[in-house]
Amino acid sequence: NAGVTQTPKFQVLKTGQSMTLQCAQDMNHEYMSWYRQDPGMGLRLIHYSVGAGITDQGEVPNGYNVSRSTTEDFPLRLLSAAPSQTSVYFCASSYTTAGNPYEQYFGPGTRLTVT
Amino acid sequence: GDSVTQMEGPVTLSEEAFLTINCTYTATGYPSLFWYVQYPGEGLQLLLKATKADDKGSNKGFEATYRKETTSFHLEKGSVQVSDSAVYFCALSANAGKSTFGDGTTLTVKP
């Protein structure tokens, strides 16, 4: 299993540009989520999904869109990039079975710079 | 809402020193608790977990006990190594697909 994969690893955008960060998992996990990591602020939840076709907002959703058409893929779209979106973005997946404590499996991250 | 408060860093220790990183939480219901570790340039990976009160999670010499009465989940290791240098995150999860993280504590171990 490749686990959770993310592309690209690095990206530089100009203010106002749009782009999609890709995330895929091959573990058949029901749940997927996007976080951003900023210095000294831990990880903050952007959007999450509890299954194909179902998404919801997290703590910091403004400026981002998501969709989940398949179990495997959960792309994050930046509609009009702003310097405040400069961050490291992590995708994660998880699953539930009886007694499973919802641990997250993380991808390697995408480092985004908006100039 | 749910929140996690971690001991502020950075923490610098000599090799073989004892490590404690404090973590307290606020949550409704009965969350699961986790410690994740992040090495430079990498994503987070699970270090240990506990699902109910008085559970002890352990891995690679690290331990943490779920204390419901003090809402704490402190991370400890008896003798740290240079290879333990990383950022450590305390987290809780009460709903599948969502976790709440602390701000992270950077640990540097010097030979």
Side-chain angles (χ1 to χ4, degrees), chain A residues 31-33 35 37 40-43 45 48-50 90 94 96 99-104 106-108, chain B residues 32 34 36 38 41-46 49-51 89 93-99 101-104:
Chain A
Y31 305 99
M32 297 186 75
S33 50
Y35 297 87
Q37 183 179 27
M41 298 184 73
L43 276 73
L45 182 66
Y48 66 101
S49 169
V50 299
F90 288 101
S94 61
T96 56
N100 180 57
Y102 311 133
E103 65 192 83
Q104 305 265 306
F106 284 88
Chain B
S32 296
F34 309 88
Y36 290 88
Q38 183 181 34
E42 298 183 8
L44 279 71
Q45 53 187 279
L46 181 68
K49 63 190 177 191
T51 60
F89 292 91
S93 181
N95 297 298
K98 295 194 296 179
S99 292
F101 290 84
D103 289 343

Side-chain angles (χ1 to χ4, degrees), chain A residues 10-27:
Chain A
F10 301 94
Q11 183 70 49
V12 179
L13 290 179
K14 294 188 186 313
T15 297
Q17 288 184 316
S18 62
M19 79 158 295
T20 299
L21 307 185
Q22 301 292 344
C23 174
Q25 53 95 5
D26 62 358
M27 298 172 282

Side-chain angles (χ1 to χ4, degrees), chain B residues 35 48 50 55-58 62-66 73-76:
Chain B
W35 278 99
L48 53 84
D55 266 4
K56 178 186 281 188
S58 61
F62 291 89
E63 293 183 340
T65 301
Y66 191 143
F73 193 54
H74 306 320
L75 182 68
E76 296 182 337

Side-chain angles (χ1 to χ4, degrees), chain B:
Chain B
D2 298 344
S3 67
V4 175
T5 302
Q6 262 183 257
M7 166 180 165
E8 288 189 20
V11 175
T12 302
L13 295 174
S14 297
E15 208 164 22
E16 299 184 4
F18 184 85
L19 168 71
T20 299
I21 301 178
N22 290 338
C23 172
T24 58
Y25 68 91
T26 302
T28 53
Y30 302 96
S32 296
L33 301 175
F34 309 88
W35 278 99
Y36 290 88
V37 60
Q38 183 181 34
Y39 298 103
E42 298 183 8
L44 279 71
Q45 53 187 279
L46 181 68
L47 179 61
L48 53 84
K49 63 190 177 191
T51 60
K52 61 183 186 298
D54 300 325
D55 266 4
K56 178 186 281 188
S58 61
N59 185 27
K60 300 181 182 179
F62 291 89
E63 293 183 340
T65 301
Y66 191 143
R67 301 286 188 201
K68 189 165 179 288
E69 64 278 10
T70 55
T71 61
S72 65
F73 193 54
H74 306 320
L75 182 68
E76 296 182 337
K77 187 175 185 182
S79 175
V80 294
Q81 306 300 312
V82 171
S83 57
D84 293 327
S85 298
V87 183
Y88 292 83
F89 292 91
C90 185
L92 67 82
S93 181
N95 297 298
K98 295 194 296 179
S99 292
T100 300
F101 290 84
D103 289 343
T105 301
T106 301
L107 171 66
T108 302
V109 180
K110 301 197 169 182

